[in-house]
Amino acid sequence: MPAATATSPWYKHLWPWIIIGILACSVTLSLTMVTIAVNNPDNLVNDNYYEAGKGINRSLERELLGQTLQLHANVQLDDVTGEVNLRLSGDSRPQTLELNLISPTQPEKDRKVVLTRNDSEPGRYVGQLTDKIEGRRFVELLGVENDKTWRLFEEEQINHDQAVLLGDEPLQGAEDLKK
């Protein structure tokens, strides 16, 4: 009978450590992905579709009122001072306007600015931003005329010292409401 030969212990071989390394990496990456998913939930999903659908009709009615009043706005964002300068043309001159700059995917980058009318220049509104805004945004301008809220809403690319024009695009999806 042949004598048993002593071999070196398993931890002195290369292949067990490679296998353990692969398993450890996969566990670490899996835990990292779970942590990212838990800390950054996807808030783009709305589970109340009925209420969201009703909101679309209300939104289109406000946009139709904006079209009826022939409203157009030219928005200038000053990156240095943070001043928002808006010129409104059309048949509405409310005392204040609400400008919402909405990020499509990151709600923490949404900004709301209250604009007040400048009494010395008709149609000019001024407000203040707290930080610099750049990139793709949904730009929403809200005002009130005769106790009804109107809305100008467009998707715009906001760039350094470039004017944003609202009310220059045709209203999409409101064909049924005009009848």
Side-chain angles (χ1 to χ4, degrees):
M1 169 180 271
T5 59
T7 61
S8 59
W10 68 271
Y11 53 85
K12 290 189 177 181
H13 294 279
L14 177 64
W15 287 110
W17 288 111
I18 290 176
I19 293 171
I20 290 171
I22 291 172
L23 293 174
C25 283
S26 65
V27 168
T28 303
L29 289 176
S30 297
L31 291 175
T32 303
M33 296 297 256
V34 167
T35 303
I36 290 171
V38 168
N39 290 336
N40 302 308
D42 186 8
N43 56 4
L44 300 176
V45 178
N46 183 1
D47 60 347
N48 194 348
Y49 301 106
Y50 179 71
E51 288 298 320
K54 289 190 329 188
I56 289 171
N57 288 337
R58 284 193 300 269
S59 168
L60 291 176
E61 289 171 0
R62 295 184 301 176
E63 289 179 346
L64 277 175
L65 179 58
Q67 263 191 350
T68 304
L69 294 171
Q70 299 174 351
L71 296 173
H72 298 281
N74 183 339
V75 182
Q76 282 287 133
L77 304 174
D78 189 341
D79 290 338
V80 176
T81 63
E83 184 178 79
V84 179
N85 193 358
L86 183 136
R87 297 224 178 251
L88 182 67
S89 62
D91 299 330
S92 180
R93 294 286 185 268
Q95 187 63 34
T96 61
L97 296 174
E98 181 181 319
L99 178 68
N100 295 311
L101 302 167
I102 304 164
S103 173
T105 58
Q106 298 171 326
E108 67 275 0
K109 290 188 176 182
D110 292 353
R111 297 295 178 264
K112 176 182 174 181
V113 181
V114 176
L115 305 168
T116 56
R117 185 173 63 199
N118 187 335
D119 293 328
S120 62
E121 292 182 59
R124 182 172 181 241
Y125 293 81
V126 179
Q128 190 68 35
L129 269 172
T130 57
D131 55 351
K132 184 178 175 182
I133 303 290
E134 273 192 338
R136 192 175 123 222
R137 296 285 190 275
F138 293 116
V139 181
E140 177 184 55
L141 182 65
L142 299 170
V144 177
E145 183 70 26
N146 296 329
D147 295 328
K148 290 185 178 179
T149 302
W150 54 261
R151 176 183 185 215
L152 297 178
F153 183 81
E154 292 180 11
E155 181 179 352
E156 297 286 342
Q157 182 70 28
I158 298 176
N159 295 321
H160 179 69
D161 289 334
Q162 182 180 1
V164 175
L165 301 175
L166 299 176
D168 60 338
E169 297 176 7
L171 183 59
Q172 300 293 322
E175 296 82 13
D176 295 336
L177 294 174
K178 290 183 179 181
K179 294 177 183 176

